[in-house]
Amino acid sequence: ALVVSIPLFLPLTVGVVAGDTIAGEAGLGTLRYLLVAPAGRVRLLVVKYVAAAVFCLAATLTVVVVGALVGLALFGAGPATLLSGD
């Protein structure tokens, strides 16, 4: 699962989510209200960055955990026979 998702699907998903954090606010018209508040632009960008980083971590951990659980369900926890026969 990691071989397939890390080079292709995970960067695509993270890019869409990270790009939509600011663009989605601008599209909905709520970014204007966020920038008027006394919080400031730097704080807003830091919060959006942290949210994107947490999403990256959560998405990667989800792929790892689900891959491990499916592997355990299909092949068990004992020794496995590899393609080389070992």
Side-chain angles (χ1 to χ4, degrees):
L2 289 174
V3 171
V4 174
S5 67
I6 284 183
L8 179 65
F9 297 122
L10 215 50
L12 179 67
T13 306
V14 168
V16 168
V17 169
D20 193 53
T21 58
I22 297 292
E25 298 272 356
L28 293 172
T30 56
L31 184 63
R32 181 176 318 170
Y33 300 114
L34 289 174
L35 293 175
V36 170
R41 294 176 187 214
V42 175
R43 183 175 175 197
L44 175 69
L45 290 177
V46 168
V47 168
K48 297 290 185 177
Y49 174 77
V50 169
V54 167
F55 177 80
C56 291
L57 183 64
T60 305
L61 287 176
T62 301
V63 169
V64 169
V65 169
V66 170
L69 291 177
V70 169
L72 283 173
L74 292 177
F75 303 111
T81 304
L82 303 176
L83 292 174
S84 64
D86 294 340

